[in-house]
Structures are given as structure tokens and as C-alpha cells.
Amino acid sequence: MDSGDALRKAKLPPSGKGPPPLPGRKPVPPPLPKKSTASTLLPPGVLDGYANLLLFAESVVQGFFSGKHRSLDFGSSAEFAEFKAYQAGDPVAHVDWKVFARSRRLMIRKHREEKEMTAWLVVDVSGSMAYRAEGREAKCLHAARIAAALATLMQRQGDRFSLTLFNQTPCAHVPAGSTRRHLMDCLTTLEARTAKPAGPTSAGAALDLCSPMFRRKGSLIVISDFFTDLDIFFRSLAQFQHRGFEILLLHVTDPDERLLPNVPMARFVDMESGASVEVTPDEIRTAYRREMEAMMQRMDEECTRRGIAWHLLRTEEPWRDALEAWLGLRGKTRIRSA
């Protein structure tokens, strides 16, 4: 048999498939195609505004503290508060011996102690949060960015935090934690659920259902446009105050909602019920503004009377106020100890 016959009898693989496997060796399977890193929870394009939510949150937190605030690496006695004269029964270990060497007086050095706290972060994902005016980001995206920045700040401070999203009822909940993995779980949930808000708002009923989940006393932060029954809402908040929660309300609003757009004719659509009406904005502007001002005044008066922190967050303004408000609320937990 010549070499040509041998080649013809050999079992050659089809063209383009590579050489046959060597004797005694199993063929190596082709590599699997790489999985896309894009989210499979939502259709393409929906998450465009949410890209790099973690990077955004970290840059906001870093920029907020750059050159202004002290380090966030707290210890059990990281910040000096004051000196106190030693009294019989005080722990000798707390005596400042350097002060004694200089003044021959026994003094106790007192510090501010950082207590670990749990923050319950609650974000509105009802239909009204989908409103987006031309040239500004949607309220839901604004709320998601605020929540992401707050969660990142909490994680850096070593605080436990949870995330709950609601419309009529709680529709997503990430239990409290403080790890980096937990932060990523919260940001993933934010991206998936706040990108397409839907449904009517019932903040009071949703908080009633949240109450059994929020077992540990801490800080309750609600991010919403508060287009809900305020009587029911504040009654629901009362149970958390009774249990000793500190409450912070972050009120997200767009200029169009406060003033009405300046157009000759408009068709207004209820983003929760779908009902619509065509009107001339100038004809109803005065009455509408009066209603909005009454709502804002009601929020202000109720929060002042109940000792609740309330901050108005406009979509045309940055997120700094939200971080300042959280730090102010957190500061209430700090106590002095020898």
C-alpha cells in the first residue's frame, strides 16, 4: 500500500475541525462562550442610567469627605471628648498618666464611643417615581443613586443596613448586613427593581408590613415622593417612633411637579392609574401650586411636631443633602464613655 492509499483510508476530520485526537487521549471540548456581564433581569437599554452604580456611589462618598470630614475608621474610643477628675471607683485603666505627670492630678480621659447601629433603608418604586422631565434624570434613578450612596457610606462606617423596596406592599427586601457582598446585593436589587417602577403607592400600608421585618431598633430612612395618604403614612410611622427608631424622610421631587411645565397645552397622565386629562397648565397653575405648597407644609409641620427629620431632595440638585442628613441622624447615637 502506497502512502496515498494510507491517507485515503485514514479517518480525516471534516474540514475546519482540526486534527484527529491522538491515540489514548480524549478530545478536548471547545471552550464555552463567555457569558455576558450585562444584567439578564432587564432588557437592554433599561439599565443605561444605572451603569456603574457602585462606582458612582463610591465616588460620591469619597468626594463628600475629601478634605472636609474626619476619617471614617471609627474605634470604640476613637475621638477624644473631655477630661474628668478621677473619683473613687473609676477604673484606674482610664487614668491619663501623662496628665498626672504634668499636673499631679488624676484625670480620666473620656472619649466618644461609636455604637453600631442598624439602618433600614426603604425606597419607593411606585409608578409616580418613573417621572422624568427633559434634561433631568428620572425620580427613580435619583432615588436609586441616593440609596446607593447611603448604603456605601453605611458599609464604610461598619453599620448594618437593609434595603426594602415598596409600592403598595414591600416588593423586595434584602435583610440587614454590613459586608461588601451585602452592599453588592443591595445595589443589584436597586438596579433590577428601581429601573422600571410601577404600581400605586401606599406607603403607610407598606410600612405596616415592614414592621415585623425591622426587628432591631435603629434608623428608618424612607426615600419617596410621598404621593400617598399622609394620614395613614404618619400613623404607620408612629409605631416605629414608639419602638425607639430614629426616622429620616428624604422627599424626592421634580420642578415640574412643584410648578407645572410652562407649555400652552398638556396632557397629564396619572403614572399609577393611567387616567389622563388635557388642560391648559396656565389655567390650573395657581390652584395646583396651592395644593403642592399645602402638601409640603403638611410634611414640614407633621415632621416638626413628631421630631422626624425631613429633607427635600430636588432632581435638579446634587445628592449632598442626603448624606448630610444621614450623618446628622447617625450622630444622635454617639455617647460619651470613660
Side-chain angles (χ1 to χ4, degrees):
M1 181 183 297
D2 60 16
S3 60
D5 293 335
L7 290 175
R8 282 191 295 272
K9 291 184 178 180
K11 294 182 179 179
L12 297 177
S15 177
K17 297 297 183 180
L22 295 175
R25 293 191 181 183
K26 295 182 179 179
V28 179
L32 296 174
K34 293 183 179 180
K35 293 183 179 180
S36 172
T37 56
S39 172
T40 57
L41 298 175
L42 298 170
V46 173
L47 292 179
D48 288 348
Y50 294 77
N52 299 319
L53 189 59
L54 177 63
L55 180 62
F56 161 82
E58 289 183 333
S59 64
V60 166
V61 171
Q62 185 67 28
F64 178 74
F65 287 103
S66 179
K68 180 177 184 294
H69 292 266
R70 65 183 186 277
S71 169
L72 291 177
D73 297 326
F74 297 118
S76 61
S77 56
E79 184 180 348
F80 170 74
E82 63 182 6
F83 285 110
K84 181 182 80 73
Y86 176 83
Q87 296 179 356
D90 286 339
V92 178
H94 294 156
V95 173
D96 192 317
W97 296 108
K98 291 184 179 179
V99 173
F100 176 76
R102 292 194 303 266
S103 64
R104 292 300 172 180
R105 298 175 58 195
L106 291 174
M107 303 294 293
I108 296 293
R109 188 179 180 91
K110 300 181 69 177
H111 299 81
R112 292 187 183 274
E113 179 182 354
E114 292 292 333
K115 295 177 64 179
E116 182 194 77
M117 67 182 305
T118 301
W120 307 98
L121 196 56
V122 182
V123 183
D124 185 354
V125 292
S126 63
S128 62
M129 293 294 287
Y131 182 78
R132 177 183 179 275
E134 185 176 356
R136 292 188 292 273
E137 64 186 17
K139 291 193 298 180
C140 56
L141 176 55
H142 198 73
R145 291 186 188 275
I146 291 170
L150 289 174
T152 302
L153 179 56
M154 293 168 187
Q155 197 271 330
R156 286 186 57 181
Q157 289 178 310
D159 293 325
R160 290 171 54 82
F161 59 95
S162 78
L163 174 69
T164 304
L165 308 180
F166 76 94
N167 44 34
Q168 282 182 298
T169 59
C171 52
H173 176 69
V174 181
S178 59
T179 64
R180 183 74 170 181
R181 173 64 180 272
H182 176 70
L183 174 63
M184 295 303 298
D185 289 343
C186 289
L187 297 188
T188 300
T189 302
L190 272 172
E191 287 187 345
R193 297 298 185 115
T194 61
K196 298 192 72 174
T201 312
S202 183
L207 285 177
D208 286 339
L209 295 173
C210 287
S211 182
M213 296 188 293
F214 300 169
R215 299 187 182 93
R216 184 174 181 177
K217 180 178 68 175
S219 297
L220 175 64
I221 302 102
V222 184
I223 305 176
S224 173
D225 55 14
F226 297 109
F227 288 144
T228 187
D229 189 317
L230 294 181
D231 291 329
I232 298 176
F233 174 66
F234 281 107
R235 283 201 299 269
S236 297
L237 285 181
Q239 63 184 305
F240 293 97
Q241 284 191 291
H242 180 72
R243 292 167 54 189
F245 281 70
E246 294 287 347
I247 299 175
L248 171 62
L249 306 182
L250 298 178
H251 192 155
V252 180
T253 180
D254 186 90
D256 285 352
E257 296 176 322
R258 302 191 303 271
L259 307 173
L260 287 186
N262 188 20
V263 293
M265 178 65 72
R267 179 170 177 262
F268 294 96
V269 179
D270 188 324
M271 303 186 75
E272 297 185 358
S273 69
S276 64
V277 60
E278 291 187 4
V279 296
T280 302
D282 288 342
E283 294 179 354
I284 64 170
R285 194 181 308 277
T286 301
Y288 179 84
R289 288 183 179 179
R290 189 183 303 119
E291 291 291 329
M292 286 300 297
E293 289 172 0
M295 175 194 177
M296 297 298 177
Q297 185 176 0
R298 171 80 186 283
M299 290 289 296
D300 187 27
E301 290 176 350
E302 289 285 352
C303 290
T304 300
R305 181 171 66 87
R306 299 168 184 266
I308 295 173
W310 172 66
H311 288 264
L312 195 63
L313 303 178
R314 299 173 173 86
T315 56
E316 72 273 24
E317 295 179 355
W319 308 268
R320 184 184 186 88
D321 287 347
L323 301 183
E324 293 277 12
W326 157 249
L327 288 180
L329 192 72
R330 188 184 189 279
K332 294 182 180 181
T333 68
R334 302 171 69 198
I335 62 175
R336 297 189 176 191
S337 64

